[in-house]
Amino acid sequence: GDWTTRFKELLAEAQKSRSPYPEICLRGGYGAPAQNIQDEKHVVMVGAGVGATPFLSFLATICDGEQKGPSSKFQKLESAVFYWLSREPEDFVWVNKYNSIIAATPSLKNRVSVRLVLTKGMETSETNECSAAEAALFWIGVQVALRLDSQSVVQELGAPTQFGRPNWKKELGDRYKELVKYQKKGEKMEIGVYACGNNMLVQSLEDACDSLDSDEVDFKLFAEQF
């Protein structure tokens, strides 16, 4: 970047002229919100665009670890759902690798899931290879397939599994409904919500968490905005 490039130039100039190095002021370090995932029992991860990076790192770590043997790093983790929001469907293709590992690994299959959310309006532009009508029919077909047999489609990621901006109150509420069967009587469940994205995303998640908090469940939001 511009700052590190200029810093390198200043050091080079100081070395060349044998003058004192520039004074440096450091602040931090600053913890990343995703670094405490390993301490949670239930997590929901939300990454928008490049904000998916720390959660893709989580996928890589847990998948690689479980392939080599039981992983102690995420031993406490009972469930994890990762929402990747992007405007470009091409971003999703390479996640197939991790989805295949999750589906083939018993210790991950019922613990980790990936949901790909295409926030961009469905593209129906005509190209040399595809007419606008054919593109529209393709996206309609994907949505119908997801409604009729979502599990089969999810096993072959690369196409979005959800369209449009999620209703986070519904998404998080549905997640709790899926987990409530594991909740012990009288126990308050905690679900960690980890997010990396813009202010609008973080604010909508904060509003959803606040509205869903109750005597039975506590949604804890950890967010990094950019």
Side-chain angles (χ1 to χ4, degrees):
D2 294 341
W3 287 92
T4 49
T5 298
R6 181 57 183 150
F7 180 54
K8 179 182 177 182
E9 292 172 351
L10 289 172
L11 293 178
E13 291 169 6
Q15 289 177 333
K16 187 175 181 179
S17 63
R18 297 183 180 276
S19 58
Y21 285 122
E23 293 185 2
I24 301 172
C25 176
L26 295 178
R27 292 182 180 180
Y30 298 106
Q35 69 183 20
N36 294 324
I37 288 178
Q38 65 193 53
D39 299 323
E40 303 281 0
K41 291 179 67 175
H42 305 288
V43 298
V44 175
M45 299 167 285
V46 183
V50 295
T53 303
F55 309 123
L56 292 172
S57 177
F58 159 81
L59 280 182
T61 302
I62 197 169
C63 286
D64 291 345
E66 292 294 333
Q67 281 187 303
K68 296 174 182 176
S71 174
S72 59
K73 185 173 183 179
F74 295 106
Q75 193 170 18
K76 185 178 179 180
L77 188 66
E78 296 181 9
S79 72
V81 179
F82 169 41
Y83 289 85
W84 186 2
L85 283 63
S86 178
R87 291 177 52 83
E88 304 301 330
E90 297 85 9
D91 291 347
F92 299 142
V93 175
W94 62 277
V95 183
N96 275 331
K97 170 186 176 183
Y98 299 120
N99 191 59
S100 298
I101 294 173
I102 291 169
T105 308
S107 59
L108 293 177
K109 189 174 182 180
N110 297 320
R111 291 169 63 206
V112 182
S113 62
V114 180
R115 300 180 185 179
L116 306 180
V117 185
L118 184 67
T119 57
K120 180 181 180 180
M122 292 183 291
E123 182 62 62
T124 57
S125 300
E126 184 174 355
T127 67
N128 292 333
E129 295 81 18
C130 180
S131 70
E134 289 172 329
L137 285 172
F138 167 76
W139 288 119
I140 292 171
V142 170
Q143 292 187 83
V144 171
L146 285 167
R147 285 197 296 267
L148 296 178
D149 189 10
S150 60
Q151 290 304 314
S152 296
V153 178
V154 168
Q155 289 175 5
E156 293 296 334
L157 294 179
T161 53
Q162 291 181 228
F163 296 87
R165 299 186 182 279
N167 178 333
W168 291 115
K169 183 176 180 179
K170 182 179 184 305
E171 296 291 339
L172 297 180
D174 288 348
R175 185 59 187 155
Y176 173 61
K177 290 176 183 177
E178 294 172 8
L179 296 173
V180 71
K181 58 186 176 184
Y182 304 111
Q183 188 174 9
K184 296 178 182 178
K185 187 175 181 180
E187 177 187 56
K188 186 171 185 176
M189 179 177 289
E190 291 187 350
I191 300 176
V193 180
Y194 292 79
C196 189
N198 59 35
N199 182 64
M200 183 182 297
L201 172 64
V202 173
Q203 185 61 56
S204 59
L205 285 167
E206 183 176 355
D207 292 343
C209 290
D210 288 344
S211 65
L212 290 168
D213 282 345
S214 67
D215 294 336
E216 289 75 37
V217 61
D218 182 21
F219 286 89
K220 301 181 300 178
L221 177 62
F222 303 90
E224 181 177 358
Q225 300 180 34
F226 63 84

